[in-house]
């Protein structure tokens, strides 16, 4: 009885193995279930990506370092990013922070061709830069350019980039908000940014943000994340800004906003505004021969007692109220050198209007 029980137990335990051996001899691939056509929105997304992909590029940068032992210069990898073809002359648009501090950059096209890139120009205040590569035959078509002033929250958007070095990645989302602000370089504020929930990660920087028609509506530039990775909030430089700045970078190598010729400083401005209860931009000094001097703008002055007597306070430029120095820089950024604008000033307790013809930036 004990032997029979042991035999039954052995058979029971070995049965799954025996069953697997029998079934393995009869195993065949399962029949494929026909899928049918892709949904209409899927087809449009696939078509958008396939049309845009050839104009999106992978950017790898290097920096020059000195070997501490041999003192020989070395080129070491610095980082990667994304860009896109701007025109048929080989100009590539990307973010300034993608190439900042790099000694060289290589641009790789979607078809695998790679080129050494030359820096044409950059605007750190807008986080934009233009590279140029010597493309011969079979040049990729530039991406079509859209507009950003008429975007609406809820529109679909598509981002193509190289997050974490994973090349030509498509992510989708919507316009989450408009007219966001982020601090830029040199005290400027990047205004009018597009906020999106399309996944944007390190490596996406400089890539295009597209609308559902496949047009560029922004350049992906930053994320908001405590961890440094995607957290559902990304930002793009609006294409209206890109389309204003990039041609100047190509033509002159840098972007020069028009100037008034006044000296201002945000920390001093904030202290004076808090002490005097006045919201605006305090003119600390006026450059000789500048637009401000020609218009008769009055600077502040030091008193005999060592205090500061305010001069003119710029309350608005072209009807746009100014809360501080960043607002003044952003307002000038929308204008062209030689443009005539009206300043609203506070002078000795009275509001006055003063026309000014803006100088070219230096």
């Amino acid at each position: 009885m004990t032997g029979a029980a042991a035999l039954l137990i052995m058979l029971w335990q070995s049965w799954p193995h025996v069953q697997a051996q029998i079934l393995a001899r009869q195993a065949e691939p399962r029949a494929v279930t026909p899928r049918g056509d892709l949904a209409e929105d899927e087809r449009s997304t696939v078509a958008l990506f396939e049309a845009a992909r050839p104009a999106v590029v992978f950017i790898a940068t290097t920096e020059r370092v000195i070997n501490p032992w041999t003192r020989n210069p070395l080129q070491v990898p610095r980082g990667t990013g994304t860009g896109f073809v701007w025109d048929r002359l080989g100009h590539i648009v990307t973010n300034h922070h993608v190439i900042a501090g790099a000694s060289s950059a290589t641009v790789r096209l979607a078809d695998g061709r790679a080129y050494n890139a030359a820096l044409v120009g950059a605007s750190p205040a807008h986080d934009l830069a233009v590279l140029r590569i010597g493309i011969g035959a079979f040049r990729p078509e530039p991406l079509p350019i859209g507009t950003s002033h008429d975007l609406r929250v809820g529109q679909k958007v598509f981002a193509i980039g190289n997050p974490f070095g994973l090349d030509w990645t498509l992510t989708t989302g919507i316009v989450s908000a408009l007219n966001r602000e982020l601090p830029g370089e040199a005290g400027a504020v990047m205004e009018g940014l597009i906020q999106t929930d399309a996944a944007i990660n390190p490596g996406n920087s400089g890539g295009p943000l597209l609308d559902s028609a496949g047009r560029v509506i922004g350049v992906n530039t930053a994320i908001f994340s405590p961890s440094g990775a995607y957290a559902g909030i990304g930002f793009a430089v609006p294409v209206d800004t890109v389309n204003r700045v990039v041609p100047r970078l190509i033509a002159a190598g840098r972007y020069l906003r028009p100037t008034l010729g006044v000296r201002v400083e945000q920390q001093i401005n904030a202290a004076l505004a808090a002490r005097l209860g006045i919201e605006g931009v305090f003119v600390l000094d006026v450059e000789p021969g500048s637009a401000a001097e020609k218009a008769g703008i009055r600077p502040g002055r030091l008193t005999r007692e060592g205090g500061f007597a305010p001069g003119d306070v710029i309350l608005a430029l072209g009807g746009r109220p100014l809360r501080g120095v960043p607002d003044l820089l952003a307002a000038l950024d929308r204008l062209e050198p030689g443009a005539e604008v009206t300043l609203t000033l506070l002078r000795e307790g009275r509001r006055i209007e003063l026309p000014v013809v803006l100088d070219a930036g230096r």
Side-chain angles (χ1 to χ4, degrees):
M1 187 71 177
T2 304
L7 180 61
L8 287 174
I9 293 173
M10 289 178 59
L11 290 173
W12 175 259
Q13 291 178 338
S14 62
W15 171 244
H17 178 70
V18 174
Q19 185 182 43
Q21 292 295 323
I22 295 172
L23 294 177
R25 296 174 183 175
Q26 301 175 351
E28 294 180 356
R30 291 190 58 191
V32 175
T33 302
R35 185 206 182 285
D37 293 335
L38 295 175
E40 183 177 350
D41 64 329
E42 292 177 306
R43 290 198 303 271
S44 62
T45 300
V46 170
L48 181 147
F49 175 73
E50 291 178 348
R53 182 179 183 271
V56 180
V57 304
F58 182 96
I59 300 175
T61 60
T62 62
E63 62 179 327
R64 187 174 181 270
V65 299
I66 303 296
N67 186 309
W69 304 108
T70 66
R71 310 306 298 171
N72 292 329
L74 301 172
Q75 293 290 121
V76 299
R78 177 177 176 82
T80 61
T82 307
F84 61 93
V85 177
W86 177 259
D87 56 28
R88 292 186 60 81
L89 299 176
H91 291 113
I92 305 294
V93 171
T94 187
N95 282 147
H96 171 259
H97 76 259
V98 169
I99 54 90
S103 58
S104 66
T106 300
V107 170
R108 181 157 57 91
L109 303 182
D111 60 12
R113 289 180 292 168
Y115 299 88
N116 292 327
L119 177 62
V120 174
S123 175
H126 302 94
D127 197 17
L128 292 173
V130 177
L131 306 175
R132 189 174 186 279
I133 57 176
I135 304 179
F138 308 109
R139 300 182 180 186
E141 288 295 324
L143 288 175
I145 300 297
T147 57
S148 51
H149 64 272
D150 53 356
L151 291 176
R152 301 178 67 182
V153 172
Q155 282 187 233
K156 287 185 178 180
V157 292
F158 305 82
I160 303 178
N162 307 293
F164 304 110
L166 300 172
D167 52 6
W168 287 276
T169 298
L170 172 69
T171 55
T172 65
I174 62 169
V175 173
S176 303
L178 297 167
N179 297 316
R180 294 305 196 200
E181 295 183 358
L182 287 178
E185 295 191 19
V189 172
M190 297 172 62
E191 279 196 333
L193 297 180
I194 303 165
Q195 181 183 323
T196 177
D197 66 347
I200 295 174
N201 285 292
N204 274 108
S205 294
L209 187 69
L210 309 174
D211 64 10
S212 56
R215 307 179 308 162
V216 177
I217 57 170
V219 176
N220 300 318
T221 187
I223 59 174
F224 180 81
S225 169
S227 67
Y230 172 66
I233 299 178
F235 300 97
V237 180
V239 75
D240 290 352
T241 299
V242 178
N243 212 9
R244 184 179 71 250
V245 173
V246 166
R248 294 198 199 176
L249 295 181
I250 293 173
R254 55 180 179 158
Y255 179 86
L256 298 175
R257 61 164 58 94
T259 63
L260 281 170
V262 296
R263 179 175 173 268
V264 294
E265 207 283 324
Q266 177 57 21
Q267 289 187 337
I268 297 175
N269 201 87
L272 289 172
R275 180 162 65 90
L276 300 175
I278 300 173
E279 190 174 73
V281 178
F282 290 79
V283 178
L284 304 180
D285 199 5
V286 172
E287 296 179 10
S290 66
E293 185 183 62
K294 294 172 185 175
I297 295 177
R298 301 176 184 177
R301 58 183 177 82
L302 295 176
T303 64
R304 292 181 179 180
E305 295 77 20
F308 179 79
D312 288 342
V313 182
I314 307 174
L315 304 178
L317 188 151
R320 182 183 179 88
L322 305 178
R323 296 165 297 177
V325 175
D327 286 351
L328 174 62
L329 297 177
L332 289 171
D333 193 47
R334 296 184 180 85
L335 302 169
E336 300 284 341
E340 181 174 321
V341 294
T342 299
L343 298 181
T344 303
L345 304 177
L346 182 65
R347 176 179 291 175
E348 299 177 349
R350 296 182 300 109
R351 293 173 67 100
I352 64 171
E353 304 287 328
L354 197 66
V356 179
V357 178
L358 299 176
D359 290 329
R362 298 176 177 81

